[in-house]
Amino acid sequence: MSIRPYKKRNNELIPGVWEIDFRPEGRNGPRRVLKYPEEGTCSRAEAESFEKECRRQNVSQLAKRHINPAINTILPEYLEWHKLHRADRTHKDVLYSLKGLTEVFGALPVSRISQGDIIRFKQRRPDHPRATNKDLHYLGSIISWMVKNDYAQPLPFKIEQMPYTKPIPRPPTADDVEAMMKEIKDPDKQAICIMMFEAGTRWNETVSLRWENVELGEGVAMVMGKGSKWRAVLLPKRVLNIITPNKQTSGWVFPNPKTNKPYGSFKTLFKAACRRAGIREIHPHGLRHRAATDTLSATGDLRLVQRMLGHADIQTTTIYTQVDMARLRLAAEKVLHHRGRQEK
């Protein structure tokens, strides 16, 4: 076993909260990590006392383990693990998906889940393949966790996803984005928009930016993307002009002054700003789409766009090649012009 200070997803330490890492089944068994205490704080001595209690209970806990339990039976333990090891937004997504999943699969042990059950689940919402696929993905994750922790055997079949074609992004025009930002008077909120619009950062990456990950002299920041992967992004000049006078050594770069925590959403802000500007509504993620499309148009370098966006797979980035049809038409015209000159 080991005890270490508990860290949030952004590596922020929480004083008085501890992470206890141990292997209930011995040295070669699966690991388990507990957050202690669940609420409030305690001293290291109290955490060590709890660790000793865990040691004493390991044998009895293993003896009580119910092999092949119903999914509902094991969910509390799974959710405890998931909350500790996954981002808050992902955890909320799982909790939402469980409402539908438990209605169909909750009372079943993994050994009794059949392909027919999967098909019936898909038929509940035939017109919403994306949401259904997300639910099935989370079901697969729960089953994988149960298998890894010896609560179940793997399914004898693969959970097939519903056919789904990701729609082509339709980013707002740069002029519309600028018009909307003029209607946003708060400098910090403007800076958040500019980060997504010019650096192509995701919403969570932007609002979760911390001063300890910012190098103003170099004009660079480290952001944590999906899968807890860090990447460097350039800070736009307009952002530097806004944040430099407020430089601090730690804490959030763009805190909500009401809560002193990151902002939750800008959807209402964007909707009101677009209405005042007299333009169609813009979604916050549309700014990232605009950044990717413009960068591809300016450079033609798909790998560069992949790096800027933080995509693990370049196939995810190729969707922007379908957006940039104007550049493709221009290239086709140049080819025709070139052929015409050769024929002469």
Side-chain angles (χ1 to χ4, degrees):
M1 286 192 180
S2 66
I3 297 177
R4 53 182 174 266
Y6 178 75
K7 291 183 180 180
K8 289 186 177 180
R9 296 281 294 181
N10 57 16
N11 286 331
E12 179 188 4
L13 289 174
I14 303 181
V17 181
W18 309 91
E19 192 172 274
I20 299 177
D21 188 342
F22 68 110
R23 297 179 184 270
E25 299 177 18
R27 185 173 182 178
N28 297 320
R31 291 176 61 192
R32 189 174 177 200
V33 180
L34 297 177
K35 174 186 173 185
Y36 183 79
E38 282 293 328
E39 296 182 1
T41 59
C42 71
S43 66
R44 186 179 182 91
E46 290 173 311
E48 289 174 350
S49 176
F50 177 76
E51 178 196 31
K52 291 177 182 177
E53 183 65 24
C54 288
R55 289 178 187 271
R56 287 194 294 269
Q57 291 184 4
N58 277 347
V59 175
S60 60
Q61 285 176 348
L62 284 172
K64 293 177 182 178
R65 174 173 283 186
H66 178 53
I67 304 301
N68 201 27
I71 290 178
N72 276 342
T73 306
I74 213 66
L75 273 181
E77 185 179 345
Y78 170 76
L79 290 174
E80 177 188 342
W81 171 87
H82 194 274
K83 186 176 183 180
L84 191 63
H85 291 85
R86 296 294 182 266
D88 289 342
R89 187 172 180 177
T90 306
H91 189 67
K92 290 177 182 177
D93 247 3
V94 168
L95 292 175
Y96 184 80
S97 289
L98 283 176
K99 295 176 183 177
L101 287 172
T102 51
E103 289 180 13
V104 178
F105 304 104
L108 298 175
V110 173
S111 61
R112 288 181 54 195
I113 296 177
S114 67
Q115 288 180 313
D117 295 320
I118 302 295
I119 292 171
R120 282 190 290 275
F121 184 78
K122 293 177 181 178
Q123 291 172 342
R124 285 161 50 108
R125 293 184 296 177
D127 298 329
H128 297 84
R130 184 181 182 185
T132 300
N133 287 343
K134 181 186 284 190
D135 291 347
L136 290 174
H137 169 74
Y138 289 142
L139 174 65
S141 298
I142 294 170
I143 293 173
S144 296
W145 181 87
M146 291 178 69
V147 170
K148 185 177 180 180
N149 288 276
D150 297 328
Y151 284 116
Q153 294 296 317
L155 288 175
F157 59 89
K158 182 180 178 182
I159 299 178
E160 298 290 345
Q161 300 271 297
M162 294 179 71
Y164 172 71
T165 302
K166 190 173 182 178
I168 298 174
R170 301 192 181 280
T173 66
D175 289 342
D176 280 356
V177 174
E178 293 289 356
M180 180 197 71
M181 289 196 296
K182 284 182 181 178
E183 298 298 328
I184 298 174
K185 306 305 180 184
D186 185 281
D188 277 358
K189 293 178 180 178
Q190 281 187 349
I192 291 172
C193 296
I194 295 168
M195 278 289 292
M196 294 187 289
F197 178 46
E198 296 186 12
T201 51
R202 298 180 179 93
W203 165 260
N204 278 350
E205 295 170 348
T206 308
V207 298
S208 300
L209 185 62
R210 296 184 63 83
W211 281 111
E212 49 263 43
N213 298 322
V214 173
E215 181 53 62
L216 291 178
E218 299 293 330
V220 174
M222 295 297 295
V223 298
M224 181 185 285
K226 291 183 177 180
S228 300
K229 294 179 181 178
W230 292 90
R231 76 177 189 281
V233 297
L234 291 175
L235 293 170
K237 289 183 179 179
R238 290 194 287 177
V239 172
L240 286 171
N241 292 337
I242 293 172
I243 69 173
T244 299
N246 304 321
K247 182 182 178 182
Q248 299 178 28
T249 55
S250 63
W252 309 108
V253 177
F254 306 114
N256 183 335
K258 295 180 180 179
T259 63
N260 204 32
K261 294 180 180 179
Y263 286 96
S265 173
F266 268 12
K267 289 181 181 179
T268 304
L269 176 72
F270 274 34
K271 188 174 183 178
C274 290
R275 186 174 61 250
R276 291 194 298 269
I279 58 176
R280 70 182 180 89
E281 188 174 337
I282 296 175
H283 189 277
H285 203 67
L287 275 61
R288 176 174 159 89
H289 288 321
R290 184 74 265 165
T293 305
D294 289 348
T295 303
L296 184 60
S297 297
T299 66
D301 190 337
L302 197 61
R303 288 289 181 185
L304 180 66
V305 177
Q306 178 193 13
R307 182 178 177 184
M308 180 184 80
L309 298 179
H311 286 162
D313 188 350
I314 198 168
Q315 289 298 320
T316 309
T317 317
T318 55
I319 195 168
Y320 293 102
T321 62
Q322 302 175 50
V323 179
D324 193 16
M325 297 305 293
R327 184 167 167 268
L328 187 61
R329 290 192 188 96
L330 181 61
E333 289 172 5
K334 287 183 178 180
V335 170
L336 290 174
H337 179 67
H338 176 71
R339 287 175 178 171
R341 289 203 306 179
Q342 279 189 335
E343 289 173 0
K344 292 178 181 179

